[in-house]
Every structure is written in structure tokens, then in C-alpha cells.
Amino acid sequence: MRKYNPGILWLRSGGNEPEYYPFHIYLRKGEVLELVGQWDQALAIYRELLNQSELAKESACLSQSWINLGWLFHKQGDEDQALQLLSKAGDYYRGKSDQGCFGDVLNKIGNIYSRQGENGKALEHFTLSLELATDRKDRYNISIAMNNIGNTYGDIGDYHKALEYYQKSHDLDVTAGDYLSASIDMGNMGWVYLAIGDYAKAMNCWEKQISWAEKFGDKHSLSIALGNMAALHIMQGEYQKGLSGVHIRLKIAGEMGDKKGLSVSYSHLANIHSINREYGKAIEAFDRAIGLAREIGLKYYLALFLQEAGEAHFELGKYDKAERSCRESLEIAQTIKKKDTIFKCHLLQAKLAGSRDKEEGVRLIRELLAEAEQPDQQAVINYELFKLTQDGQCRKAALKLYTQLYEKTPDIDYKKKMEDLERSN
């Protein structure tokens, strides 16, 4: 075999009879395996390339190995190793002529901060990456940075800005004929449409994402889209469709070692049980979702799952457990400025106060009503006030608001509360 310069493309292994490895070919093979969900095989390749790069003392190859290995660790939920490797790569590329790689590292480190709920640091990294990509007119990395910025705005509840960045990214990708990236943009837009209650547009986005993910063999994106669709089916009361989607995603996420996917899927399972008033089973599923979220530092989801678990404990009359769960959720939500979860925690705390002292509970809930700006918040506050006081005006206000909300967004929770209020007339 012809022996190429190890410092260019080929790296020599150790041993008595050296063999030579085409670094970039193996790297691309690992990326393809990662794309189709064979993460263990991709991990083995990245580890071997790291070893070969160290033996050859080839810094550029070593840095690329840090990036790929670190990013796969991030996907698997090992944020400590991910940040350690990606930071080393960032130190290598900082100030060098290859600012494309530096921008890539910034995006990946930003995603770690985002998962940990440090939105300020995440946005700082994404913005710098976007500036570097824009200077180079690098469409691909402009798109990635825009998507990440959109994710950050979505996490803090600024859905208008999130959708704006996703749309820009999508338009760039479609113009370039990059339909794999465009499908990811579409999936992110679906998440925003779900958050603002436009279920038809959300479903349309995920159907398109699934179509392209299947075409390209992108198992991870397929899993995410299926999980999102399952959540939407659950919210619409289509429990069997939702349950089927949850089980499919649990299977895919389990095969890939995708702990985030597993955590989110267990939360969907818990929500099905909660809607059906099977609160004991809901708590078991929430415990699994919460355990995984803790393990991989998913602060955004951990805050949400803890609050929802607190509601299940409340319904079972386990007020001490509900209080502890709610308190932790509120602390995390305030840290990451997750406004919707903060509101839900304050409402749950008021309900808990009402379980001990009815007048105190009513006072706290009325304070929330004075500050509530969103119709869904006003609806649930009036609903809870009616449950505590049996005040006919609260019942009437809640029923009117839920009727208006349900006409726009066919959410099963709205429907169930409408039915409850109508029965109480």
C-alpha cells in the first residue's frame, strides 16, 4: 500500500506492522452511522480516529475528532465530556484561519449551554457563530446558527422571534436545495406552532419533516418528529395514536442511546395517564422522565416535568410531595426564565395553600388573575377559583374563555374543563 503523509489525510496505527487509515473517509463513515442512528458504531470510529490523531501528532485531525466525539457525547447526554472536548477544539480553532470550524464549535458549545438552561451564554455563542458564518457567506452554518438562535428564543417564550429565525433558515436551505436541513427547520417551526396553539400547522410541519427524514435515513430527526406528533395526538385526545407514537420513539431512542428522547417520551406517557386520571401510573412515568432529565442536565424539560409531576401528586392528595416538586420546578424555571412554567408553579402553590386555608388560596389565585395577560392563564385561574369558591361568575368567565380557546385550538384539556364546568351548572 502506498504510504501517504500522515499529516495530510492518512494516519498510521500502532503495532509491529503499521496500517494506514484515511482519516476523512472514516470520519464521514462515522457521520453517516450517526445519522442513521447507529451511535455505538459511530462512537467507536470517532474514538479510534482520536487515538490515531494522537499517535500521528496531527493537531487538525485531533481537533476534528474532539468535535465529532464531543457532539455525539452531547447527543447521548454526557455533557461534561462533551463540553471538555468541544472546549479543547474551540481553543485550537480560535484565532486560526479556519473560522468555519470555530463557528461550528461555537454552535455546538451553545447547544450544551442551552440544554443546561444557560440561555444567555447559548445566545452569545450562537450570535458569534452567525457573525462568522455571515462574514464568510457560509449558507450552511448561517442556517445552523439561525436555527439555534430560534431554539433559544423559543425556550424563553419569544415565539415570534423564534419563528422568524426558523423561517429565514428554511428559506436559505430550500434555495440551496438542502432539503435535509430544511426538514429540520420545518420541524422546529412545528414546535412553535404547537406552542402557540396552531395544531394544524404544527402537524403539517412534522409530516413534512418525517417525509424527508425517512428519505435521508435521518433516524434522530425521525424520532423527534414522531415524538412531537405523539404529543400533539395526546393534546387532541387521540390517545391510541399518541401512545403508538410514544412507543415507537421509546424504541428508537433506546436503540440509539438517546436519553433526551427517552426522557421526553416518558413524559408523554405520563401525560396520557394524567389525562385519564391514572395519577399513580403518571407519577411512575414522570419519575423516569425526571431521572433522565437530571442525569443529562435537561433543565428546560426538568422544570416542566417536575411541575407536571407536582400536579399529579396534588390530585392524589400527596401535598408534601407536590410542594417539593413544585418548589424545585419553580427554582429551575426562574433560573432559565421559563415564564409559562413559572406561572403554573405559582398556580399550583396557590392551590396547595387553598388545601390548607381556603381563603388564603383564593387570595393568592386572585393575585395571579390580576397579573394574567394570556387567555389560557385567565381561563385556568377562573376555573380554579370556581373549584374553590363555587362562584357562578368565575364559572361563567372560565367557560367563555375555554370555549373561545377550544374554537381556535382543539386541546383536550380545554374540552375536559368545558365539560366539567357545564356539568357544574
Side-chain angles (χ1 to χ4, degrees), residues 270-286:
N271 286 326
I272 292 176
H273 290 310
S274 288
I275 291 169
N276 291 324
R277 302 182 186 278
E278 300 168 342
Y279 298 114
K281 290 182 179 180
I283 289 169
E284 289 179 9
F286 276 130

Side-chain angles (χ1 to χ4, degrees), residues 5-12 23-24 49-66 92-93:
N5 182 348
I8 301 175
L9 289 176
W10 296 72
L11 299 174
R12 186 169 62 185
F23 178 86
H24 292 95
L49 290 177
L50 181 65
N51 292 336
Q52 297 298 329
S53 300
E54 288 174 340
L55 287 170
K57 295 181 174 60
E58 175 51 52
S59 298
C61 292
L62 184 61
S63 297
Q64 187 61 59
S65 300
W66 287 334
Y92 173 79
Y93 286 113

